[in-house]
Amino acid sequence: MDKIYIFDVDGTLTPSRLPMTKEFQKFFKEWIKKNKFYLVTGSDLPKLQEQMCFFDIEAEGIFTCCGNEFWLPNPSVPIQSADLIYSNKFKPPKDLIEYLERKVLKSE
């Protein structure tokens, strides 16, 4: 049975909000040749690609924006290419907006 790995990015594969270290890049470049993995991040795709030094192209899939978007890397297009497969656009209910507006008015 094949193993599939799922990695958070910030603080796991990279220092928080920073690019992958050169030392880890070297290791990861070899590791991805033999393993299947998905990436998960709270960031958007451009920030993820910057942090991962574009190794995300090798992923089976990429979950961005806290799982609200799913991207499928497109190896037929050069670096930074992925197709958006799923996007959950948050639309807050009217009563939530009204509640938050009341809180803002009452805040200092």
Side-chain angles (χ1 to χ4, degrees):
M1 179 164 144
D2 288 339
K3 290 182 182 179
I4 297 176
Y5 298 88
I6 300 173
F7 293 112
D8 175 50
V9 177
D10 279 335
T12 303
L13 296 181
T14 72
S16 189
R17 304 293 297 163
L18 296 172
M20 188 181 288
T21 65
K22 296 286 183 194
E23 182 180 349
F24 191 72
Q25 280 181 44
K26 187 176 176 181
F27 164 80
F28 198 62
K29 190 172 186 173
E30 291 304 312
W31 185 88
I32 63 177
K33 291 178 184 177
K34 303 176 215 134
N35 296 283
K36 293 181 180 184
F37 67 100
Y38 287 80
L39 297 175
V40 180
T41 183
S43 300
D44 61 12
L45 187 64
K47 180 62 181 172
L48 171 85
Q49 291 169 323
E50 176 186 318
Q51 283 184 271
M52 292 295 298
C53 305
F54 307 104
F55 285 120
D56 53 335
I57 300 303
E58 305 289 338
E60 298 293 311
I62 305 163
F63 293 92
T64 61
C65 301
C66 298
N68 285 298
E69 293 180 346
F70 178 70
W71 299 84
L72 192 59
N74 186 345
S76 66
V77 179
I79 296 176
Q80 298 187 45
S81 178
D83 298 318
L84 181 61
I85 303 301
Y86 169 81
S87 180
N88 179 28
K89 300 292 182 199
F90 177 66
K91 294 180 184 155
K94 184 179 176 185
D95 55 340
L96 175 59
I97 297 293
E98 291 169 355
Y99 170 79
L100 293 173
E101 287 172 344
R102 286 192 305 274
K103 289 293 182 187
V104 169
L105 289 174
K106 291 180 182 180
S107 70
E108 293 178 14

mmCIF file of all heavy atoms in Angstrom, residues 49-83:
data_model
loop_
_atom_site.group_PDB
_atom_site.id
_atom_site.type_symbol
_atom_site.label_atom_id
_atom_site.label_comp_id
_atom_site.label_asym_id
_atom_site.label_seq_id
_atom_site.Cartn_x
_atom_site.Cartn_y
_atom_site.Cartn_z
ATOM 1 N N GLN A 49 3.703 29.085 -2.913
ATOM 2 C CA GLN A 49 4.738 28.818 -3.909
ATOM 3 C C GLN A 49 6.043 29.510 -3.546
ATOM 4 O O GLN A 49 7.118 28.931 -3.693
ATOM 5 C CB GLN A 49 4.254 29.254 -5.292
ATOM 6 C CG GLN A 49 3.142 28.367 -5.798
ATOM 7 C CD GLN A 49 2.459 28.911 -7.029
ATOM 8 O OE1 GLN A 49 2.271 30.111 -7.152
ATOM 9 N NE2 GLN A 49 2.092 28.027 -7.920
ATOM 10 N N GLU A 50 5.948 30.721 -3.047
ATOM 11 C CA GLU A 50 7.138 31.447 -2.613
ATOM 12 C C GLU A 50 7.830 30.709 -1.465
ATOM 13 O O GLU A 50 9.043 30.502 -1.482
ATOM 14 C CB GLU A 50 6.712 32.844 -2.170
ATOM 15 C CG GLU A 50 7.806 33.696 -1.610
ATOM 16 C CD GLU A 50 7.245 35.001 -1.063
ATOM 17 O OE1 GLU A 50 6.366 35.603 -1.707
ATOM 18 O OE2 GLU A 50 7.688 35.405 0.033
ATOM 19 N N GLN A 51 7.065 30.286 -0.482
ATOM 20 C CA GLN A 51 7.636 29.582 0.669
ATOM 21 C C GLN A 51 8.247 28.238 0.295
ATOM 22 O O GLN A 51 9.258 27.837 0.837
ATOM 23 C CB GLN A 51 6.563 29.357 1.733
ATOM 24 C CG GLN A 51 6.238 30.586 2.524
ATOM 25 C CD GLN A 51 5.239 30.264 3.604
ATOM 26 O OE1 GLN A 51 4.043 30.342 3.375
ATOM 27 N NE2 GLN A 51 5.737 29.890 4.755
ATOM 28 N N MET A 52 7.589 27.530 -0.619
ATOM 29 C CA MET A 52 8.034 26.185 -0.994
ATOM 30 C C MET A 52 9.082 26.201 -2.096
ATOM 31 O O MET A 52 9.478 25.146 -2.582
ATOM 32 C CB MET A 52 6.835 25.344 -1.454
ATOM 33 C CG MET A 52 5.857 25.021 -0.357
ATOM 34 S SD MET A 52 6.566 23.969 0.912
ATOM 35 C CE MET A 52 6.931 22.521 -0.050
ATOM 36 N N CYS A 53 9.517 27.369 -2.514
ATOM 37 C CA CYS A 53 10.506 27.478 -3.581
ATOM 38 C C CYS A 53 10.046 26.696 -4.817
ATOM 39 O O CYS A 53 10.839 26.073 -5.503
ATOM 40 C CB CYS A 53 11.871 27.006 -3.093
ATOM 41 S SG CYS A 53 12.435 27.876 -1.617
ATOM 42 N N PHE A 54 8.729 26.672 -5.018
ATOM 43 C CA PHE A 54 8.071 26.077 -6.176
ATOM 44 C C PHE A 54 8.089 24.552 -6.205
ATOM 45 O O PHE A 54 7.763 23.952 -7.204
ATOM 46 C CB PHE A 54 8.606 26.685 -7.472
ATOM 47 C CG PHE A 54 8.519 28.176 -7.425
ATOM 48 C CD1 PHE A 54 9.646 28.956 -7.214
ATOM 49 C CD2 PHE A 54 7.293 28.815 -7.520
ATOM 50 C CE1 PHE A 54 9.551 30.334 -7.120
ATOM 51 C CE2 PHE A 54 7.190 30.199 -7.428
ATOM 52 C CZ PHE A 54 8.324 30.954 -7.231
ATOM 53 N N PHE A 55 8.399 23.896 -5.082
ATOM 54 C CA PHE A 55 8.310 22.441 -5.001
ATOM 55 C C PHE A 55 6.863 21.962 -4.968
ATOM 56 O O PHE A 55 6.595 20.801 -5.168
ATOM 57 C CB PHE A 55 9.031 21.894 -3.760
ATOM 58 C CG PHE A 55 10.524 21.911 -3.898
ATOM 59 C CD1 PHE A 55 11.297 22.631 -3.014
ATOM 60 C CD2 PHE A 55 11.151 21.207 -4.913
ATOM 61 C CE1 PHE A 55 12.672 22.648 -3.136
ATOM 62 C CE2 PHE A 55 12.530 21.225 -5.042
ATOM 63 C CZ PHE A 55 13.286 21.950 -4.158
ATOM 64 N N ASP A 56 5.907 22.879 -4.719
ATOM 65 C CA ASP A 56 4.495 22.488 -4.672
ATOM 66 C C ASP A 56 4.014 21.930 -6.004
ATOM 67 O O ASP A 56 3.024 21.226 -6.067
ATOM 68 C CB ASP A 56 3.606 23.646 -4.235
ATOM 69 C CG ASP A 56 3.799 24.896 -5.058
ATOM 70 O OD1 ASP A 56 4.880 25.079 -5.627
ATOM 71 O OD2 ASP A 56 2.867 25.679 -5.141
ATOM 72 N N ILE A 57 4.707 22.215 -7.092
ATOM 73 C CA ILE A 57 4.349 21.685 -8.404
ATOM 74 C C ILE A 57 4.412 20.151 -8.372
ATOM 75 O O ILE A 57 3.723 19.477 -9.113
ATOM 76 C CB ILE A 57 5.287 22.242 -9.490
ATOM 77 C CG1 ILE A 57 5.195 23.780 -9.543
ATOM 78 C CG2 ILE A 57 5.019 21.642 -10.847
ATOM 79 C CD1 ILE A 57 3.804 24.339 -9.795
ATOM 80 N N GLU A 58 5.213 19.596 -7.499
ATOM 81 C CA GLU A 58 5.369 18.148 -7.391
ATOM 82 C C GLU A 58 4.276 17.502 -6.530
ATOM 83 O O GLU A 58 4.197 16.291 -6.449
ATOM 84 C CB GLU A 58 6.737 17.811 -6.776
ATOM 85 C CG GLU A 58 7.915 18.419 -7.496
ATOM 86 C CD GLU A 58 8.185 17.776 -8.840
ATOM 87 O OE1 GLU A 58 7.773 16.624 -9.067
ATOM 88 O OE2 GLU A 58 8.816 18.444 -9.671
ATOM 89 N N ALA A 59 3.461 18.299 -5.869
ATOM 90 C CA ALA A 59 2.435 17.767 -4.965
ATOM 91 C C ALA A 59 1.298 17.119 -5.745
ATOM 92 O O ALA A 59 1.031 17.463 -6.886
ATOM 93 C CB ALA A 59 1.892 18.886 -4.079
ATOM 94 N N GLU A 60 0.606 16.196 -5.079
ATOM 95 C CA GLU A 60 -0.588 15.581 -5.659
ATOM 96 C C GLU A 60 -1.734 16.581 -5.680
ATOM 97 O O GLU A 60 -2.605 16.541 -6.540
ATOM 98 C CB GLU A 60 -1.008 14.362 -4.834
ATOM 99 C CG GLU A 60 0.032 13.252 -4.804
ATOM 100 C CD GLU A 60 0.220 12.598 -6.159
ATOM 101 O OE1 GLU A 60 -0.778 12.225 -6.796
ATOM 102 O OE2 GLU A 60 1.386 12.476 -6.578
ATOM 103 N N GLY A 61 -1.741 17.471 -4.697
ATOM 104 C CA GLY A 61 -2.762 18.498 -4.600
ATOM 105 C C GLY A 61 -2.360 19.505 -3.546
ATOM 106 O O GLY A 61 -1.500 19.233 -2.700
ATOM 107 N N ILE A 62 -2.992 20.672 -3.593
ATOM 108 C CA ILE A 62 -2.637 21.764 -2.702
ATOM 109 C C ILE A 62 -3.919 22.370 -2.121
ATOM 110 O O ILE A 62 -4.783 22.824 -2.867
ATOM 111 C CB ILE A 62 -1.866 22.860 -3.462
ATOM 112 C CG1 ILE A 62 -0.635 22.267 -4.155
ATOM 113 C CG2 ILE A 62 -1.498 24.004 -2.532
ATOM 114 C CD1 ILE A 62 -0.054 23.159 -5.227
ATOM 115 N N PHE A 63 -4.025 22.358 -0.797
ATOM 116 C CA PHE A 63 -5.144 23.002 -0.111
ATOM 117 C C PHE A 63 -4.647 24.339 0.419
ATOM 118 O O PHE A 63 -3.741 24.373 1.245
ATOM 119 C CB PHE A 63 -5.634 22.146 1.055
ATOM 120 C CG PHE A 63 -6.261 20.854 0.631
ATOM 121 C CD1 PHE A 63 -5.503 19.698 0.526
ATOM 122 C CD2 PHE A 63 -7.620 20.790 0.336
ATOM 123 C CE1 PHE A 63 -6.076 18.497 0.140
ATOM 124 C CE2 PHE A 63 -8.204 19.592 -0.055
ATOM 125 C CZ PHE A 63 -7.432 18.448 -0.157
ATOM 126 N N THR A 64 -5.230 25.440 -0.054
ATOM 127 C CA THR A 64 -4.836 26.769 0.396
ATOM 128 C C THR A 64 -5.997 27.439 1.125
ATOM 129 O O THR A 64 -7.108 26.920 1.152
ATOM 130 C CB THR A 64 -4.396 27.652 -0.787
ATOM 131 O OG1 THR A 64 -5.484 27.790 -1.693
ATOM 132 C CG2 THR A 64 -3.176 27.077 -1.493
ATOM 133 N N CYS A 65 -5.704 28.604 1.671
ATOM 134 C CA CYS A 65 -6.726 29.427 2.341
ATOM 135 C C CYS A 65 -7.499 28.611 3.377
ATOM 136 O O CYS A 65 -8.730 28.592 3.390
ATOM 137 C CB CYS A 65 -7.664 30.057 1.317
ATOM 138 S SG CYS A 65 -6.788 31.096 0.126
ATOM 139 N N CYS A 66 -6.754 27.920 4.246
ATOM 140 C CA CYS A 66 -7.334 27.097 5.321
ATOM 141 C C CYS A 66 -8.271 26.020 4.774
ATOM 142 O O CYS A 66 -9.280 25.691 5.386
ATOM 143 C CB CYS A 66 -8.066 27.973 6.328
ATOM 144 S SG CYS A 66 -6.979 29.138 7.161
ATOM 145 N N GLY A 67 -7.945 25.474 3.628
ATOM 146 C CA GLY A 67 -8.749 24.403 3.045
ATOM 147 C C GLY A 67 -9.924 24.883 2.220
ATOM 148 O O GLY A 67 -10.703 24.076 1.719
ATOM 149 N N ASN A 68 -10.049 26.174 2.036
ATOM 150 C CA ASN A 68 -11.164 26.711 1.260
ATOM 151 C C ASN A 68 -10.908 26.714 -0.245
ATOM 152 O O ASN A 68 -11.799 27.028 -1.021
ATOM 153 C CB ASN A 68 -11.522 28.118 1.734
ATOM 154 C CG ASN A 68 -12.253 28.072 3.053
ATOM 155 O OD1 ASN A 68 -13.330 27.509 3.144
ATOM 156 N ND2 ASN A 68 -11.656 28.641 4.083
ATOM 157 N N GLU A 69 -9.685 26.379 -0.649
ATOM 158 C CA GLU A 69 -9.368 26.219 -2.065
ATOM 159 C C GLU A 69 -8.563 24.944 -2.242
ATOM 160 O O GLU A 69 -7.730 24.598 -1.396
ATOM 161 C CB GLU A 69 -8.550 27.403 -2.584
ATOM 162 C CG GLU A 69 -9.293 28.695 -2.612
ATOM 163 C CD GLU A 69 -8.466 29.863 -3.138
ATOM 164 O OE1 GLU A 69 -7.225 29.744 -3.239
ATOM 165 O OE2 GLU A 69 -9.068 30.893 -3.451
ATOM 166 N N PHE A 70 -8.816 24.257 -3.340
ATOM 167 C CA PHE A 70 -8.023 23.074 -3.685
ATOM 168 C C PHE A 70 -7.469 23.259 -5.085
ATOM 169 O O PHE A 70 -8.214 23.535 -6.026
ATOM 170 C CB PHE A 70 -8.852 21.789 -3.624
ATOM 171 C CG PHE A 70 -8.060 20.575 -4.027
ATOM 172 C CD1 PHE A 70 -7.057 20.093 -3.202
ATOM 173 C CD2 PHE A 70 -8.291 19.949 -5.244
ATOM 174 C CE1 PHE A 70 -6.299 18.989 -3.573
ATOM 175 C CE2 PHE A 70 -7.545 18.843 -5.620
ATOM 176 C CZ PHE A 70 -6.552 18.364 -4.778
ATOM 177 N N TRP A 71 -6.168 23.112 -5.208
ATOM 178 C CA TRP A 71 -5.461 23.300 -6.467
ATOM 179 C C TRP A 71 -4.842 21.985 -6.917
ATOM 180 O O TRP A 71 -4.304 21.241 -6.106
ATOM 181 C CB TRP A 71 -4.347 24.323 -6.304
ATOM 182 C CG TRP A 71 -4.813 25.671 -5.904
ATOM 183 C CD1 TRP A 71 -5.085 26.106 -4.632
ATOM 184 C CD2 TRP A 71 -5.077 26.772 -6.766
ATOM 185 N NE1 TRP A 71 -5.498 27.409 -4.656
ATOM 186 C CE2 TRP A 71 -5.496 27.847 -5.960
ATOM 187 C CE3 TRP A 71 -4.985 26.963 -8.144
ATOM 188 C CZ2 TRP A 71 -5.833 29.084 -6.477
ATOM 189 C CZ3 TRP A 71 -5.315 28.203 -8.654
ATOM 190 C CH2 TRP A 71 -5.734 29.239 -7.839
ATOM 191 N N LEU A 72 -4.887 21.738 -8.191
ATOM 192 C CA LEU A 72 -4.244 20.573 -8.786
ATOM 193 C C LEU A 72 -3.071 21.077 -9.613
ATOM 194 O O LEU A 72 -3.263 21.823 -10.579
ATOM 195 C CB LEU A 72 -5.238 19.817 -9.661
ATOM 196 C CG LEU A 72 -4.831 18.444 -10.125
ATOM 197 C CD1 LEU A 72 -4.546 17.523 -8.935
ATOM 198 C CD2 LEU A 72 -5.940 17.842 -10.970
ATOM 199 N N PRO A 73 -1.838 20.738 -9.227
ATOM 200 C CA PRO A 73 -0.683 21.195 -9.990
ATOM 201 C C PRO A 73 -0.795 20.749 -11.456
ATOM 202 O O PRO A 73 -1.273 19.665 -11.743
ATOM 203 C CB PRO A 73 0.497 20.513 -9.295
ATOM 204 C CG PRO A 73 0.020 20.305 -7.904
ATOM 205 C CD PRO A 73 -1.444 19.978 -8.040
ATOM 206 N N ASN A 74 -0.365 21.612 -12.336
ATOM 207 C CA ASN A 74 -0.429 21.345 -13.768
ATOM 208 C C ASN A 74 0.989 21.261 -14.320
ATOM 209 O O ASN A 74 1.583 22.277 -14.673
ATOM 210 C CB ASN A 74 -1.225 22.450 -14.467
ATOM 211 C CG ASN A 74 -1.455 22.159 -15.918
ATOM 212 O OD1 ASN A 74 -0.819 21.295 -16.506
ATOM 213 N ND2 ASN A 74 -2.367 22.897 -16.514
ATOM 214 N N PRO A 75 1.550 20.049 -14.399
ATOM 215 C CA PRO A 75 2.946 19.909 -14.834
ATOM 216 C C PRO A 75 3.169 20.265 -16.301
ATOM 217 O O PRO A 75 4.296 20.421 -16.732
ATOM 218 C CB PRO A 75 3.258 18.434 -14.572
ATOM 219 C CG PRO A 75 1.939 17.757 -14.509
ATOM 220 C CD PRO A 75 0.937 18.781 -14.056
ATOM 221 N N SER A 76 2.103 20.417 -17.081
ATOM 222 C CA SER A 76 2.280 20.749 -18.497
ATOM 223 C C SER A 76 2.575 22.238 -18.704
ATOM 224 O O SER A 76 2.923 22.657 -19.794
ATOM 225 C CB SER A 76 1.030 20.359 -19.294
ATOM 226 O OG SER A 76 -0.069 21.144 -18.897
ATOM 227 N N VAL A 77 2.423 23.023 -17.636
ATOM 228 C CA VAL A 77 2.697 24.455 -17.719
ATOM 229 C C VAL A 77 3.868 24.751 -16.789
ATOM 230 O O VAL A 77 3.944 24.198 -15.697
ATOM 231 C CB VAL A 77 1.446 25.268 -17.296
ATOM 232 C CG1 VAL A 77 1.714 26.753 -17.343
ATOM 233 C CG2 VAL A 77 0.268 24.901 -18.187
ATOM 234 N N PRO A 78 4.799 25.620 -17.209
ATOM 235 C CA PRO A 78 5.981 25.905 -16.380
ATOM 236 C C PRO A 78 5.631 26.368 -14.965
ATOM 237 O O PRO A 78 4.494 26.693 -14.668
ATOM 238 C CB PRO A 78 6.694 27.005 -17.156
ATOM 239 C CG PRO A 78 6.242 26.830 -18.556
ATOM 240 C CD PRO A 78 4.819 26.317 -18.469
ATOM 241 N N ILE A 79 6.673 26.475 -14.153
ATOM 242 C CA ILE A 79 6.612 26.809 -12.726
ATOM 243 C C ILE A 79 5.447 27.728 -12.364
ATOM 244 O O ILE A 79 5.105 28.632 -13.099
ATOM 245 C CB ILE A 79 7.947 27.462 -12.300
ATOM 246 C CG1 ILE A 79 9.075 26.459 -12.450
ATOM 247 C CG2 ILE A 79 7.895 27.977 -10.872
ATOM 248 C CD1 ILE A 79 10.431 27.006 -12.156
ATOM 249 N N GLN A 80 4.888 27.494 -11.199
ATOM 250 C CA GLN A 80 3.820 28.265 -10.580
ATOM 251 C C GLN A 80 2.446 27.938 -11.120
ATOM 252 O O GLN A 80 1.483 28.621 -10.832
ATOM 253 C CB GLN A 80 4.042 29.773 -10.719
ATOM 254 C CG GLN A 80 5.288 30.282 -10.065
ATOM 255 C CD GLN A 80 5.338 31.787 -10.099
ATOM 256 O OE1 GLN A 80 4.359 32.453 -9.823
ATOM 257 N NE2 GLN A 80 6.476 32.331 -10.424
ATOM 258 N N SER A 81 2.306 26.895 -11.893
ATOM 259 C CA SER A 81 1.004 26.621 -12.475
ATOM 260 C C SER A 81 0.237 25.566 -11.688
ATOM 261 O O SER A 81 0.759 24.509 -11.372
ATOM 262 C CB SER A 81 1.167 26.147 -13.908
ATOM 263 O OG SER A 81 -0.086 25.835 -14.450
ATOM 264 N N ALA A 82 -1.004 25.886 -11.407
ATOM 265 C CA ALA A 82 -1.921 24.941 -10.783
ATOM 266 C C ALA A 82 -3.329 25.362 -11.186
ATOM 267 O O ALA A 82 -3.614 26.543 -11.380
ATOM 268 C CB ALA A 82 -1.755 24.940 -9.271
ATOM 269 N N ASP A 83 -4.196 24.385 -11.314
ATOM 270 C CA ASP A 83 -5.582 24.654 -11.686
ATOM 271 C C ASP A 83 -6.452 24.650 -10.437
ATOM 272 O O ASP A 83 -6.378 23.723 -9.634
ATOM 273 C CB ASP A 83 -6.084 23.591 -12.663
ATOM 274 C CG ASP A 83 -5.298 23.585 -13.960
ATOM 275 O OD1 ASP A 83 -5.000 24.690 -14.470
ATOM 276 O OD2 ASP A 83 -4.967 22.494 -14.454
#
